[in-house]
Amino acid sequence: MKAIRRFTVRTVLPEQLQPLHELALNLRWSWHPETRELFRSVDPDVWAAVGEDPVRLLGEVPATRLAALAADRRFLRRLGDLSDELRDYLTGPRWYQGASDPADPDGALPAAIAYFSPEYGIAAALPQYSGGLGILAGDHLKAASDLGVPIIGVGLFYRHGYFRQSLDRDGWQQERYPLLDPDALAVTLLREEDGTPCRIDLALPGGRTLAAQVWRAQVGRVPLLLLDSDVEANGPAERDVTDRLYGGGSEHRLMQEILLGIGGVRAVRTYCRLTGHPAPEVFHTNEGHAGFLGLERIGELVTAHPGLGFADALEAVRAGTVFTTHTPVPAGIDRFDRELVARHFGGDAALPGVPVEQVLALGAESWSGGDPKLFNMAAMGLRLAQRANGVSTLHGAVSREMFRGLWPGFDAPEVPITSITNGVHAPTWIDPAVVRLGATEIGQERAENAMAVGTAGQWTGLERIGNAEVWELRRALRSQLVEEARGRLRASWRQRGAGEAELGWTDTVLDPDVLTIGFARRVPSYKRLTLMLRNPARLRALLLHPERPVQIVIAGKAHPADDGGKRLIQKLVAFADDPAVRHRIVFLPDYDMAMAKTLYPGCDVWLNNPLRPLEACGTSGMKAALNGCLNLSILDGWWDEWYDGQNGWAIPTADGSTGEGVLDPESKEAERRDDIEAAALYDLIEHQVAARFYDRGADGLPHRWISMVRHTLVTLGPKVLAGRMVREYVERLYAPAAAAERRLAGPDGDYAAARALAGWKAGVREAWSGVRVEHVEADGAGEAQELGATLALRVLVNLGRLRPEDVEVQVVSGRVDESDRISEATTLALKPAGGGTDLDGRIRYEGHLELSRTGPFGYTVRVLPTHPRLASVAEMGLLAAPVETGGMDAGVLR
């Protein structure tokens, strides 16, 4: 018989044990070893059986055991101490509280920041994530909590989460979506003061309504609000909006993103009203999925301030919005049919004060090559945010090139997208044994501060840890992984239909004394799961080498709709099933945060071989590095930035591997590239990685290897931290955004400054066609020049209806190629010469250009809008340059 309804019956704790509920419902336990150890001591067997989930533990531990604990004075003392410690953590001042000067309005940090993401990887016990985007979002919240940054997280609550993965007998990925019961999770329902559940309502086309309730997960100091459409007020289609992560068709996905963005803002407003939490001054959208939040905020302002128009409100909203892009390819961007978007933002579904034509303009692919029938979520996100960033230095450059069509006339380096390299939350990902070893040298308190704040000085001292201690720890972590992998492999084979009598071989799979390489991530084609199989005979030789064997532990999920990714997994599993090598290479299904806890620390080398530059950041290698694992990676994402020759190895990238054909796995270019890079990978493993691992001294220790491990911990440790990342967001994006928003709101909150800025922009756009550079001359131009000489420049500019204070006239100079394209450009502002306009309405600008480099050199002149409220010279995407560029002579310096 199948139950028609399910619910959770919770244990009633004795009064003395009530603090256990508080500890269980704050997800800080997921990165606080002492709290996890307390829960383990409640009942070690039940703790293991429930997957180390405190909420489930308290629901299943026998009443007799609870009664015994209620009388155990030692346990109650530990419980009281940890409860007090949590209270201090939640209320005491941290880094953020001392990071600004409250007396300086422009220096005051935001009172609060709202952070929106479609998924969050906080803990395995709250499965609301699929991969790197969610893990990054979870680490962002946890680091913000440790630093005291007043963030409110916003997401969706997926009743089926992301899928659980298994394999069939043939190695084909199988998916299942277990139903999640919120009552069995570390979440509570947000309720009105009268106890009724809070409800968020959104208008849908045809007079329908999408209703949602809000679950609150407490992530240390940070509240995470998760909207859930599975409520009785909804019809079947609306109830299923939050059914699963990244499921359904186009309209289903659009409704998820409308609920996340628009409903998320309303949930934040409700939460602040009920709790007194400061209202956010900055809204941060993690990828384009939540981009509709800007439309809701525009609607709020227009409704609250009569006389404030859409364009005025847009300026105010842009000032306080941050947009982070994670995708390095256009195919990774959500795009919807414009007619579908128009239906959801027009008629009876329209937002007050937000005309549907303005919505469509924000997402229009207006650049050359764009599709006029599609609505682009990333384009909308960038148009609604005054500040944007990629997630590594290389990804920032890739993003500037990819989105440059939004700023026509500007070279990619000037596109206003910066970069803040991702980081990982050290207390979550470092094995406790690594922390204990570090604490023996630098002390427990300093070790905890080093993991949370992430400054280089706090990591010094780890270089003093002895070789024997490092090697003993590495072997212990490797042994821990081997034991875990054997258990998971046995379970996987049982799911594939094998009987116990067939599985004796799994008891000897892997070896705690063999060089262990890890590879775990999502399985899109560009991450190249099967690059290691390019030459199967060569791989077998590495695995079975008589003196220097290698073993590989692999995990990863393909998207349920990605049959190509599933075929890659099947191909790898077929190789790993071979009795000749299956003791040296294993594929572990159902990769998640729980598996990662032993996988990262237990590997000696972390392998990453994406197609460069398609890995935006690649944080898995960061987590491995924090545990003393060395990276073996293509120079992409963060590794391109921080590889130094002593913290691992760089896999060479094949020349000529960035063309369009490289993205087609069947193309000759892709075949050539994979052959070259796989051969380089095999050579590195055999002749450098394995050779160094097995190069032992008289004491049996690999001293050069251990030196690399120590160097990795000391130099990469402070760089790869989410604490460093969040501090950069605060200083470089959140604080400037809050200051800009305050200036546009004005001291009286009437948004007069926003009106003025919007009016100025409208006037500049209307008049810009009349701006022309009519004449440029320079003394000695066209002749060879001496290094250190200066060119006296004179430029005549017609500004039409604009004033000189509306523009800046610049000379742009630098090296030139054979096509006279300027690179490594520098800019110099020219000044009006005085005397006003001439008889033809032109203004004369002058300046001196110093010739500070040798070789082919060129310059040009341009006119840009300028205003104190613009965040960059390219913000408006307007530029006027000489029409006849052939008149711009290039000089050669000697």
Side-chain angles (χ1 to χ4, degrees), residues 218-292:
Q218 195 63 35
V219 186
R221 297 166 70 115
V222 173
L224 171 58
L225 309 179
L226 302 171
L227 288 93
D228 174 13
S229 70
D230 189 14
V231 296
E232 292 186 3
N234 284 330
E238 289 74 36
R239 292 189 79 149
D240 284 346
V241 166
T242 56
D243 58 349
R244 59 184 61 175
L245 186 57
Y246 302 139
S250 181
E251 185 164 19
H252 183 272
R253 185 74 168 265
L254 177 64
M255 290 175 67
Q256 284 189 337
E257 299 189 0
I258 289 172
L259 180 60
L260 174 60
I262 297 173
V265 173
R266 297 178 187 180
V268 168
R269 303 304 187 203
T270 301
Y271 176 78
C272 292
R273 169 175 59 83
L274 291 171
T275 64
H277 193 290
E281 295 183 89
V282 176
F283 285 75
H284 182 180
T285 174
N286 190 39
E287 252 311 335
H289 311 286
F292 291 122

Side-chain angles (χ1 to χ4, degrees), residues 124-137:
L126 187 63
Q128 300 289 303
Y129 61 95
S130 71
L133 181 70
I135 298 297
L136 180 278

Side-chain angles (χ1 to χ4, degrees), residues 611-665:
L611 171 61
R612 189 181 192 271
L614 301 186
E615 184 80 277
C617 185
T619 56
S620 62
M622 295 179 170
K623 299 165 193 145
L626 282 173
N627 287 282
C629 179
L630 305 180
N631 275 266
L632 170 61
S633 177
I634 294 284
L635 287 172
D636 201 1
W638 76 275
W639 191 237
D640 181 73
E641 200 169 329
W642 290 331
Y643 165 68
D644 67 4
Q646 296 299 314
N647 50 18
W649 295 268
I651 304 170
T653 300
D655 292 337
S657 63
T658 58
E660 288 295 322
V662 83
L663 300 179
D664 177 7

Side-chain angles (χ1 to χ4, degrees), residues 65 146 183 433 586 696 722:
R65 175 59 179 161
D146 289 343
D183 291 329
V586 297
R696 308 295 166 91

